[in-house]
Amino acid sequence: EAGVVQSPRYKIIEKKQPVAFWCNPISGHNTLYWYRQNLGQGPELLIRYENEEAVDDSQLPKDRFSAERLKGVDSTLKIQPAELGDSAVYLCASSPEVGYNEQFFGPGTRLTVL
Amino acid sequence: RKEVEQDPGPFNVPEGATVAFNCTYSNSASQSFFWYRQDCRKEPKLLMSVYSSGNEDGRFTAQLNRASQYISLLIRDSKLSDSATYLCVAYPGGGADGLTFGKGTHLIIQP
């Protein structure tokens, strides 16, 4: 069974540029998470989807970050414009159903903002 | 947002020794707890869930103390391959908000 797929794996951009990350969860998983992980820190939840509905986006900086999961399958996280402090690893994870707590993580996208 | 606290370490432990570390959580509504393992530049992977009665999986034992609001992880007969960062997670459950990872504890097993 294929795991969580993320692309790109690495991205280098200049500040003020836009950037987008894509995630395809494990087939059949209804819950999808986006995290940001800074060096030496644990993952910080940005947004959680139950199917196509965003149910926890309290930590998403909505002035520059947006996310969508239109058909309840794959998802895109966008930053526009990027700032130096956005440099981090962006992780996507999925779970089979609401309340099923084990999360399966993708390999992440390492973003560097210059 | 409620906090989950871990000692970042590093814990330097000789091979074969037993090592234990704790994780404290401040949200008393937390219902589910987990330990994840993260290798350098890799994604986190579930190590084990933490049940109220405690649970054991081979050399690993996890325990929950609700009264003092902490969970623990014990590793017996440590192996070089146990070197990693161990992340604890507190989860409110029931679809509620507030899933929180700790910063992780860095463990180094020395030959």
Side-chain angles (χ1 to χ4, degrees), chain A:
Chain A
E1 180 181 298
V4 176
V5 178
Q6 290 188 247
S7 69
R9 293 292 309 277
Y10 304 90
K11 190 73 176 180
I12 301 174
I13 60 171
E14 294 187 347
K15 62 180 180 181
K16 302 185 181 180
Q17 293 300 307
V19 65
F21 314 122
W22 178 79
C23 172
N24 193 28
I26 293 173
S27 178
H29 281 198
N30 297 325
T31 305
L32 183 147
Y33 309 78
W34 280 105
Y35 292 90
R36 176 171 59 191
Q37 187 172 26
N38 291 305
L39 188 64
Q41 304 292 313
E44 173 194 6
L45 181 66
L46 294 174
I47 189 168
R48 173 168 64 95
Y49 282 94
E50 299 295 350
N51 298 304
E52 67 274 10
E53 183 182 1
V55 295
D56 183 357
D57 63 354
S58 58
Q59 296 292 93
L60 189 72
K62 296 181 180 63
D63 57 335
R64 299 182 300 107
F65 286 64
S66 64
E68 61 183 16
R69 193 186 185 198
L70 295 177
K71 297 183 178 179
V73 180
D74 59 342
S75 176
T76 302
L77 177 69
K78 298 179 181 178
I79 309 174
Q80 182 171 6
E83 297 179 351
L84 295 176
D86 295 331
S87 295
V89 176
Y90 290 83
L91 293 162
C92 178
S94 68
S95 294
E97 60 190 52
V98 174
Y100 188 87
N101 300 311
E102 178 180 358
Q103 300 177 48
F104 298 83
F105 283 83
T109 297
R110 186 173 298 274
L111 174 67
T112 301
V113 182
L114 303 176

Side-chain angles (χ1 to χ4, degrees), chain B residues 4-85:
Chain B
V4 173
E5 302 285 346
Q6 292 184 255
D7 182 343
F11 283 52
N12 289 284
V13 175
E15 189 176 10
T18 296
V19 60
F21 28 84
N22 291 340
C23 165
T24 60
Y25 61 95
S26 58
N27 186 352
S28 59
S30 297
Q31 296 184 21
S32 302
F33 306 90
F34 305 86
W35 284 103
Y36 279 76
R37 171 193 170 127
Q38 187 171 27
D39 293 301
C40 187
R41 301 181 74 87
K42 298 288 188 180
E43 71 273 20
K45 293 184 178 180
L46 182 68
L47 177 65
M48 59 196 309
S49 304
V50 186
Y51 304 124
S52 296
S53 56
N55 51 305
E56 185 174 315
D57 183 2
R59 299 182 293 108
F60 298 83
T61 300
Q63 292 193 317
L64 167 64
N65 185 317
R66 286 194 182 275
S68 300
Q69 294 187 199
Y70 74 85
I71 63 174
S72 64
L73 180 66
L74 178 78
I75 306 174
R76 291 180 298 277
D77 187 25
S78 54
K79 312 292 185 188
L80 296 176
S81 58
D82 294 334
S83 297
T85 296

